[in-house]
Amino acid sequence: MSTDNDKANDTGSAPLHGLLAEYDNPTALVRAAEKVRDAQYEHWDTYTPFPIHGMDPAMGIKPTVLPWIVFWAGLTGCVVGVGFQYWTSVIDYPWVISGKPFWSIAANVPIAFETTVLFSALTTLGAMLALNGLPHPSHPLDLKRRFAKVTDDRFFLLIEARDKKFDATDTRALLESTHPAVLDDVAEDRVTSDKLPTVILGALAVLTTLAILPFALAYKARVSKSDQPRIHLVPNMDNQPHIKAQQESPIFADLRGMRGDVPGTVAQGNLQEDDHLYRGKLEGGAWARTFPKEIAPSEQNMKRGEREFGIFCAPCHGLSGHGDGMIHERAAALGQGTWVQPTNLHQDYLRQQPVGELYNSITHGVRNMPGYGHQVSVEDRWNIILYMRALQRSTAAAPTDVPESERGALK
Amino acid sequence: MAATIKAGAAEVSAATSGLNPYQGPPVGDNVFAKITQNVSRVMEVPKPPRAWYIAFGIALTLLSIFGACLGWVVWEGIGAWGNMVPVAWAFDITNFVFWVGIGHAGTLISAVLFLLRQNWRTAVNRFAEAMTIFAVACAAIFPGIHIGRPWLPYWMFPIPNQMGMWPQFRSPLEWDVFAVGTYATVSVLFWYMGMIPDFATFRDRSTSTIKRAAYGLVAMGWRGSSRQWHRYERAYLLLAALATPLVLSVHSVVSFDFATAQLPGWHTTIFPPYFVAGAIFGGFAMVLVLAVPARQFFGLKYIITIKHIELMAMVILATGMVVGYAYGMEFFIAWYSGSMYEGFTFQNRAFGPYAWAYWTMIFCNVVSPQIFWWKKMRSSPWVAFIVGVIVNVGMWFERFVIIGTSLARDFLPGSWGYFIPTPVDYLTLGGSFGLFFTLFLLFCRYLPMVAMAEVKSIMPEAHVAHGDHH
C-alpha cells in the first residue's frame, strides 16, 4: 500500500488512520491547506519544520487562549508575592527595623515583580505544553519513515479518517488536486506498545523513593527527640584557635597568652601621680585630712555622693549609716552565727578618722568589707566621703549648727 | 552480548560516516536540509574536532580546581580568602556580579532583539541563551559560599523552619535571591522551549537507540504540527515579553545591593542603568568569545556569518560608550554632591592604591572597543575575539573597582585597609571558568547549537509566495 520503505507494521490488517500528503515547499502546503479548510474538514493538520507565516489563516486556526491563562497566572503571582510578604512581615513575624513601619510597599515591589514574572513564565510553558497535548510519545505518523523529514525540510498535510467528511475516494481526490509530491495512506499504530518499558518504570520507582528519603529523614528529626548533640557537618569552625584567659600561647617566648603592658608605658588614664587625689595621702605619707582640690564640697557633689552611697554602701551600712542595711537585717533574720554586723558609721573614731584613710578603706576594703576601687570611680569615692561626713554631722549636731531662721522648728 | 554491541557500534559509525554531512553555504536547492546538516553534524560526527578535546581537557582541569577550592572553603571557612575588614566583600561578590552580568546578553539577544524583530539574532541566540544559563550557574555558587556556612543557604529562601523566622523581604540582598532565582528559572524555560523543535530534529536524525530515546524524551513528541506551532509561537512571544523587563530588573536589583548602602562609591542612583549597560556590554563580549571559536571549529561559518560578528561588535561599541559615560558621570556626581567623602572616594579610585585596577578597567572597557569604529576590525572574527576577552577582563575589574576600592577607604582613615587576594581567591576565580566552559563544551557537542527551526523560518525560501492562487 505505502509507497516508501516504512517501518514494520501489519498494515494489511490495521485500520486506516488518515491520508498523508507531502509537499516540497511552504507555498504548496499553504495552498493545499486553504483547499482543505474550504472543504470544511475538522480533524486535519499540517506538519512543518518551522512555523510558516500565513499558515494560521490558511488553516483557519483561531487565536489561542494562552495569553489569557498567562495573564491570570501573572495576576496570581503578583497577589501571592504581595500577600506573602504582607503576611510574613506584618502578621506572622513583625520585625522592627530602625523604627520603620512593618509595611512599606516600595520595598516590596521588587519581589512582587519577580513572583509575577515567575508564575507567568512557568504557566506559559506549562499551558503551552498542556494545550498542545505534549508530551505525546507515540503517533501513527512515527511509523512513516518519510515523515522523519518533517523536522528537516519536508512539509506534510494529514487528514484523519475519523473526520465526519472523510471519504476514501473524495478526500484522496481533494488532496491530489493540490499536487502533492507524495500521497499515501497512514495506518493505525499496532506495533508500539502502550506500556512503559519496565526499565523506565523501575527507574521511576527508584528515583521516587530516593526523592522521598530526605524529606522522610527531616520529618523524623522534627518529630522525635534525641539526647545526642547536633551533628556538625564541618566541626572545623567549632574549634577556633583563640587564646582564653590564663592559657598558654605558643606565639610568645614567655608562653603567656595574656599580655601585660609594654615596659615603660602607661595606659591612657592610668597615670595617677597625685597621691592626695588617688591614694588619700599627703607628701610625707600621712593620711590627708582635707578633700583634694578637685573635689569641691558643692551641692552637686553632695547629691552625687548620696546617690552612690545609696547604691554601694547602704545595702550593708543602712541608709542612715547605722550598720543596719538590708543585708544585715536578712542575715539577722536567718540567724547566721558567723555574721558580723557592719560598722556603725556614727562612731567617734570614724568621725575623727582622716578622709584620706576613709578613702583608702573604700578603695581597698577593711576587715570584712571588700574594696570598691574597681567599681566606684575616684571622684565618686570622694563624693561618698563628702556625703558620709554630712551623715555623721547629722547625728551629733548642736542646736547652734541649725541656721538662725530654722531654729524655731526645733522647739 | 558484547559482539552485538560491537556490531551495533560499527553499524552506527558506518551510518554516521555515510551521512556525508553537508558543509557549505545554505544557498540554492535544499537550503533547509543544508541548515539541518550544518548544525546536526556537530552532534552526529563520531568524534568532535581535536580542538574540542583540548578545550574540554583544560576546562575539566579548571573545574577540578574549582571543586577543590570550594571544598576547602567549606571545610576551612572563608578565612581561606583574603577578605578582611574593611574589605569584607572581595572576590566572592565581584565574581558573583561578573557572572550575573555575563548572563544578561543571552536573554537580551533572545527576548529584546526578538521583540525588536532583529532577525539576525537567530544565528546566535541559542548560544547566548546557553551562555546565560551556565553563567548564572557560576554566579549562584558565589553568594552560597560567601555566606560562610554554605550548608545554610536555605535560610535565604522563604521556607517554614524551626526558628519560626522569615527572610527580611525589605532587604536588597533578599531581592537578589528572588531576582536571580527567577532569572535562572525563566532563562532555563526559554532555552528549553526554544530547543524543543530542534530536539525533534536530532531525534529524527539519530541512528542509535540511546540518542533516539534521549532526544525523544526531551522533544516530548514534537512533530511540527501547525496547530502546535501556533501556540508555541504565542508562548515564545509571551516569554520574550516577560523576560525583557526581567533582564532589566535583575541587574538593577544586583546594583541595589550597593546603591542602597551608604558607602561612598556605592550610594548612587546611577547604578541600575549603569549596571544593566555594563551587563549587556560584558555579555555580548562573552558571546563573541564563544561564537568565534565555535563557528571556526564546528563549521558554522555559513550560519554565524561575518555580518553577525559585525553587528555584535557594534553593540559592544555602543554599550562600551554608555559604560564610559557612566564612569565619567560618577566623577561629576561626586563633585556635584559637594560631599567630601564622595569626592575623596573617586580621587582615590583613579589615583589611590587601586589606581592600577581603575586604569586597567578604563583601558579594557572604554579604550579597547574604540577599534570597532573601523569596519575592517569589526569584520575580523579574531579581532572581535581578542576585544571580547579584553572587555571581559575589564568588566571583572569594573566590579572589583566598585567593590574593593570603595570598601578599602571609607569615612575614617583609621579603618582603611588594602585587600590582598590569597591563592585560593585566584584559583576559585579561574576555576569558575572551568565550570562555565565544561558546561558550554558539552552543550556544543550534544545540544542544538543553533536554533535550526528559527534560522529556517527567516530564510527567503520560507516565505509563502503571494498572488498566484490556483
Side-chain angles (χ1 to χ4, degrees):
Chain A
M1 256 171 116
S2 59
T3 52
D4 65 338
N5 182 17
D6 278 352
K7 294 163 199 175
N9 190 11
D10 191 0
T11 44
S13 62
L16 189 69
H17 178 75
L19 271 176
L20 182 68
E22 181 180 339
Y23 302 87
D24 291 331
N25 59 63
T27 310
L29 182 69
V30 167
R31 298 283 173 265
E34 282 165 351
K35 280 198 171 177
V36 177
R37 175 198 66 194
D38 293 342
Q40 296 183 324
Y41 281 90
E42 278 176 27
H43 295 287
W44 66 288
D45 206 344
T46 57
Y47 298 86
T48 59
F50 52 85
I52 293 171
H53 190 69
M55 184 54 95
D56 293 355
M59 284 179 68
I61 297 174
K62 293 198 190 86
T64 172
V65 71
L66 184 70
W68 286 105
I69 299 174
V70 173
F71 171 76
W72 288 109
L75 207 62
T76 310
C78 186
V79 170
V80 168
V82 173
F84 186 71
Q85 290 182 82
Y86 185 84
W87 179 71
T88 53
S89 35
V90 180
I91 297 167
D92 192 50
Y93 193 77
W95 188 6
V96 181
I97 292 182
S98 312
K100 288 173 192 158
F102 291 128
W103 186 243
S104 43
I105 191 73
N108 302 93
V109 166
I111 288 179
F113 171 78
E114 303 299 342
T115 51
T116 307
V117 172
L118 186 63
F119 276 52
S120 309
L122 287 168
T123 307
T124 305
L125 180 65
M128 187 276 285
L129 293 176
L131 290 172
N132 279 344
L134 297 174
H136 188 163
S138 172
H139 195 285
L141 283 173
D142 294 345
L143 296 178
K144 285 271 168 212
R145 188 150 284 180
R146 279 192 301 116
F147 188 72
K149 288 281 230 173
V150 73
T151 53
D152 184 2
D153 66 340
R154 302 302 284 175
F155 304 84
F156 294 87
L157 194 155
L158 173 74
I159 301 180
E160 292 180 36
R162 68 189 167 116
D163 194 287
K164 281 201 297 284
K165 294 196 61 119
F166 187 86
D167 178 274
T169 337
D170 291 353
T171 307
R172 180 173 282 273
L174 172 73
L175 286 177
E176 265 169 3
S177 75
T178 62
H179 311 296
V182 187
L183 174 65
D184 64 346
D185 294 341
V186 180
E188 288 293 355
D189 186 355
R190 289 259 175 106
V191 181
T192 316
S193 168
D194 291 341
K195 286 174 188 154
L196 275 175
T198 330
V199 183
I200 292 183
L201 281 176
L204 279 177
V206 170
L207 283 176
T208 313
T209 317
L210 287 177
I212 293 172
L213 214 59
F215 294 101
L217 286 173
Y219 181 74
K220 181 179 171 287
R222 290 292 292 273
V223 295
S224 59
K225 286 184 177 172
S226 167
D227 295 335
Q228 299 299 312
R230 286 199 305 169
I231 299 167
H232 282 212
L233 294 177
V234 181
N236 194 7
M237 284 164 81
D238 293 343
N239 308 314
Q240 299 178 3
H242 60 234
I243 302 292
K244 293 187 179 126
Q246 314 297 343
Q247 267 185 348
E248 276 189 7
S249 163
I251 294 173
F252 302 103
D254 62 2
L255 298 182
R256 284 172 58 170
M258 297 168 76
R259 309 305 300 168
D261 293 337
V262 177
T265 63
V266 178
Q268 276 196 356
N270 281 10
L271 182 66
Q272 302 179 339
E273 285 190 305
D274 185 349
D275 263 351
H276 190 172
L277 177 62
Y278 291 108
R279 284 169 283 279
K281 285 186 178 172
L282 297 176
E283 255 174 64
W287 296 118
R289 291 196 163 272
T290 55
F291 284 88
K293 58 183 185 302
E294 288 85 354
I295 310 295
S298 66
E299 178 81 11
Q300 195 191 347
N301 284 347
M302 190 64 86
K303 291 256 191 247
R304 177 80 191 169
E306 182 182 7
R307 181 174 175 273
E308 297 296 297
F309 184 90
I311 294 168
F312 294 101
C313 314
C316 285
H317 293 287
L319 282 169
S320 63
H322 285 94
D324 55 355
M326 298 277 284
I327 290 170
H328 167 68
E329 282 184 9
R330 177 71 179 152
L334 290 173
Q336 291 275 352
T338 54
W339 178 255
V340 180
Q341 188 176 1
T343 307
N344 179 357
L345 302 178
H346 302 284
Q347 297 180 60
D348 276 345
Y349 85 94
L350 281 175
R351 287 200 176 103
Q352 270 119 49
Q353 205 169 59
V355 288
E357 195 176 351
L358 286 172
Y359 177 88
N360 188 60
S361 300
I362 294 176
T363 306
H364 301 294
V366 57
R367 293 190 296 278
N368 275 357
M369 176 177 144
Y372 281 80
H374 59 285
Q375 277 171 291
V376 187
S377 71
V378 172
E379 288 77 13
D380 282 343
R381 278 174 248 163
W382 286 112
N383 290 337
I384 286 171
I385 296 164
L386 193 65
Y387 177 70
M388 190 178 137
R389 279 287 187 246
L391 266 186
Q392 289 172 335
R393 187 81 174 272
S394 71
T395 55
T400 47
D401 289 341
V402 181
E404 197 89 37
S405 55
E406 308 280 330
R407 240 174 253 170
L410 291 173
K411 285 174 184 167
Chain B
M1 178 73 190
T4 333
I5 292 170
K6 216 169 188 178
E11 202 178 297
V12 168
S13 80
T16 44
S17 60
L19 277 174
N20 188 17
Y22 177 82
Q23 242 194 301
V27 289
D29 293 339
N30 304 325
V31 282
F32 302 133
K34 284 172 182 170
I35 287 171
T36 313
Q37 286 171 13
N38 265 323
V39 177
S40 308
R41 198 182 147 271
V42 180
M43 176 272 291
E44 284 163 358
V45 289
K47 277 187 177 178
R50 181 187 292 268
W52 186 90
Y53 283 106
I54 296 169
F56 195 64
I58 297 170
L60 271 187
T61 311
L62 284 173
L63 179 62
S64 324
I65 293 173
F66 192 47
C69 284
L70 294 188
W72 179 243
V73 166
V74 169
W75 177 254
E76 182 67 14
I78 51 176
W81 298 333
N83 300 23
M84 278 283 174
V85 171
V87 188
W89 278 7
F91 271 31
D92 45 356
I93 300 300
T94 304
N95 296 346
F96 164 68
V97 182
F98 171 73
W99 281 116
V100 165
I102 297 271
H104 275 64
T107 310
L108 190 98
I109 291 174
S110 312
V112 181
L113 297 187
F114 178 76
L115 295 182
L116 296 176
R117 301 185 189 281
Q118 296 292 309
N119 282 338
W120 61 272
R121 69 181 260 291
T122 53
V124 287
N125 73 336
R126 179 67 46 72
F127 250 95
E129 286 163 28
M131 181 195 80
T132 287
I133 288 155
F134 306 147
V136 172
C138 292
I141 287 173
F142 286 98
I145 52 167
H146 140 95
I147 57 174
R149 313 250 162 169
W151 47 93
L152 298 176
Y154 67 91
W155 285 10
M156 296 189 282
F157 301 102
I159 303 169
N161 54 52
Q162 76 277 16
M163 298 174 288
M165 289 172 74
W166 294 105
Q168 173 48 265
F169 291 113
R170 285 172 287 177
S171 160
L173 300 178
E174 187 61 23
W175 304 346
D176 241 11
V177 174
F178 277 81
V180 175
T182 303
Y183 187 58
T185 312
V186 173
S187 301
V188 169
L189 295 183
F190 205 33
W191 188 53
Y192 174 66
M193 203 181 97
M195 281 195 293
I196 290 175
D198 296 338
F199 281 143
T201 304
F202 276 17
R203 171 200 64 201
D204 292 342
R205 289 176 66 89
S206 295
T207 41
S208 84
T209 316
I210 292 174
K211 276 189 176 180
R212 271 190 75 81
Y215 290 124
L217 200 66
V218 284
M220 293 208 279
W222 181 266
R223 290 175 189 86
S225 145
S226 290
R227 296 179 196 280
Q228 294 185 346
W229 272 123
H230 169 69
R231 299 190 189 96
Y232 177 90
E233 283 201 283
R234 190 43 61 101
Y236 200 85
L237 179 70
L238 284 168
L239 274 188
L242 288 166
T244 300
L246 179 66
V247 70
L248 299 179
S249 85
V250 175
H251 228 50
S252 298
V253 165
V254 170
S255 79
F256 288 157
D257 291 348
F258 306 101
T260 57
Q262 289 174 345
L263 191 74
W266 289 7
H267 188 64
T268 165
T269 49
I270 200 180
F271 264 21
Y274 162 25
F275 269 51
V276 171
I280 297 167
F281 178 57
F284 265 90
M286 191 58 120
V287 175
L288 277 182
V289 169
L290 298 175
V292 169
R295 74 190 274 281
Q296 187 78 28
F297 297 121
F298 293 117
L300 295 172
K301 281 186 199 170
Y302 303 104
I303 291 175
I304 304 171
T305 61
I306 295 292
K307 183 175 177 267
H308 295 118
I309 290 173
E310 202 183 330
L311 284 165
M312 286 192 281
M314 284 181 187
V315 174
I316 288 176
L317 179 59
T319 48
M321 286 192 294
V322 174
V323 169
Y325 168 80
Y327 297 156
M329 187 46 73
E330 277 191 313
F331 276 83
F332 172 77
I333 293 171
W335 168 75
Y336 194 68
S337 71
S339 158
M340 98 190 200
Y341 300 108
E342 285 284 337
F344 170 77
T345 296
F346 284 91
Q347 266 177 34
N348 181 55
R349 238 178 225 186
F351 306 107
Y354 286 106
W356 60 273
Y358 183 81
W359 294 108
T360 307
M361 168 189 98
I362 292 287
F363 170 76
C364 294
N365 292 353
V366 184
V367 179
S368 78
Q370 302 304 323
I371 199 172
F372 286 147
W373 283 108
W374 287 274
K375 188 177 168 63
K376 208 174 169 187
M377 296 294 152
R378 281 203 300 274
S379 36
S380 157
W382 291 102
V383 168
F385 174 82
I386 291 165
V387 173
V389 171
I390 294 175
V391 165
N392 272 301
V393 171
M395 285 311 291
W396 188 89
F397 269 102
E398 180 197 297
R399 279 62 176 251
F400 178 74
V401 163
I402 291 172
I403 295 170
T405 66
S406 308
L407 282 170
R409 293 197 165 181
D410 61 355
F411 302 98
L412 283 178
S415 66
W416 287 357
Y418 189 82
F419 168 73
I420 297 163
T422 63
V424 181
D425 276 314
Y426 289 119
L427 292 173
T428 310
L429 169 61
S432 66
F433 282 88
L435 175 62
F436 181 74
F437 283 111
T438 303
L439 291 171
F440 191 79
L441 288 163
L442 289 173
F443 158 77
C444 286
R445 172 79 174 123
Y446 294 108
L447 298 182
M449 222 193 316
V450 172
M452 289 179 274
E454 283 191 54
V455 171
K456 289 174 196 170
S457 75
I458 61 155
M459 304 204 67
E461 291 81 357
H463 294 297
V464 177
H466 289 287
D468 60 333
H469 279 267
H470 299 287

